[in-house]
Amino acid sequence: MNATPLHRWDVTYREAVAIQEDLRGKLILRDDGALDSIRTVAGADISYEKGSDLFFAAVVLMDFPGLGLLEEAACSARVSFPYIPGLLTFREGPPLLAAFAKLGQTPDFVLFDGQGIAHPRGIGLAAHLGLLLDLPAIGCAKSRLVGSYGPVGEKRGSHAALICGDRQVGAVVRTRERTRPIFVSQGHRIALPKAVTLVLSCCRGYRLPEPLRQAHLAVNRLRMGQVSAPHSDPLAKNR
DNA sequence: GCGACAG
DNA sequence: ATCTTGTCGC
């Protein structure tokens, strides 16, 4: 019955690959009905000090399409899995999921800073975590992991297909003029056209969509040990 | 064997 | 990702 082994994070390289190969088939790459009436969006990011195994993760929840901050959840955690291209999920996944667990509300879709299916085994961080969270998810990477693409138009909103093998695995999107494009790919429960549209509607004059920008700012404030939220200490629930 | 390589 | 200083351009 249970063809899927229990998911584990303390794995070897080989086990991690096996988990990815097992989970990739469970991804849903079509638009989900939940995307018909979007009210909220979340963005998540990680930050840590060089050479340290103490990671900080933050998730911001914003209303959509207004993009006003609704909630912020954060967490710190020890990480031992090294950075290996293609296995980023096993390094950043646990802290990110811990932060999501503290979020009071469930977002209608999530933006991750990493690849969705534009990945060697078709399941990057955004796809993997979208699947585990069972939420529509989109991968927004700042650089390429796999695939090739042609020139991207100069205007905001222009995009080129990201091709890997004989498949389109994503889109290279110009979210801001005179700035390098970002790599958008399906994570889970969403089709590519909608993913591109949503990412663009989350941009507010910056290269990165607002949920990811805010999560990035939040996680860095956190690491710098600053008091950020007006109402609560993001790490208060840890104590 | 060599180059590529999300964060 | 992080480190690191100044600097060029809109």
Side-chain angles (χ1 to χ4, degrees):
Chain A
M1 284 302 272
N2 194 354
T4 304
L6 288 181
H7 195 296
R8 292 193 299 126
W9 293 113
D10 58 320
V11 294
T12 62
Y13 178 98
R14 181 175 295 284
E15 292 171 330
V17 169
I19 288 175
Q20 291 183 329
E21 292 177 336
D22 178 55
L23 293 183
R24 67 179 299 181
K26 299 198 168 192
L27 295 174
I28 297 175
L29 304 178
R30 313 184 307 272
D31 282 334
D32 191 276
L35 295 171
D36 292 337
S37 58
I38 300 173
R39 284 189 285 181
T40 61
V41 54
D45 196 21
I46 288 283
S47 177
Y48 56 91
E49 204 165 274
K50 182 182 183 181
S52 169
D53 64 344
L54 182 59
F55 280 44
F56 293 89
V59 179
V60 299
L61 184 74
M62 316 179 107
D63 62 66
F64 184 93
L67 303 184
L69 182 62
L70 294 177
E71 191 183 339
E72 195 175 302
C75 188
S76 58
R78 298 285 174 184
V79 169
S80 58
F81 203 90
Y83 168 66
I84 301 171
L87 296 182
L88 179 64
T89 313
F90 289 85
R91 181 170 171 78
E92 299 196 348
L96 289 175
L97 289 180
F100 268 100
K102 293 185 177 180
L103 206 55
Q105 307 166 61
T106 301
D108 290 322
F109 74 102
V110 187
L111 261 35
F112 287 103
D113 63 329
Q115 311 290 351
I117 64 170
H119 174 278
R121 286 168 294 282
I123 180 163
L125 182 146
H128 197 139
L129 297 187
L131 184 62
L132 295 185
L133 290 169
D134 191 25
L135 289 175
I138 302 171
C140 296
K142 298 181 291 299
S143 62
R144 184 197 75 99
L145 176 60
V146 297
S148 58
Y149 57 99
V152 181
E154 299 297 326
K155 291 196 170 186
R156 178 183 185 285
S158 298
H159 49 88
L162 179 63
I163 306 295
C164 190
D166 56 0
R167 318 272 179 176
Q168 176 168 8
V169 296
V172 190
V173 186
R174 184 85 63 190
T175 52
R176 180 186 174 166
E177 299 185 4
R178 295 189 266 350
T179 303
R180 298 155 53 210
I182 66 173
F183 298 74
V184 177
S185 58
Q186 292 156 272
H188 184 49
R189 292 170 57 175
I190 191 169
L192 185 57
K194 176 91 79 180
V196 171
T197 297
L198 289 180
V199 166
L200 283 171
S201 57
C202 281
C203 290
R204 290 289 185 279
Y206 294 87
R207 181 188 182 218
L208 296 182
E210 216 54 24
L212 289 182
R213 265 191 79 239
Q214 293 306 324
H216 188 73
L217 293 174
V219 83
N220 278 317
R221 283 197 301 265
L222 198 67
R223 182 162 68 86
M224 300 306 285
Q226 294 181 19
V227 182
S228 55
H231 296 85
S232 66
D233 176 347
L235 290 181
K237 296 169 191 169
N238 282 335
R239 313 199 192 92

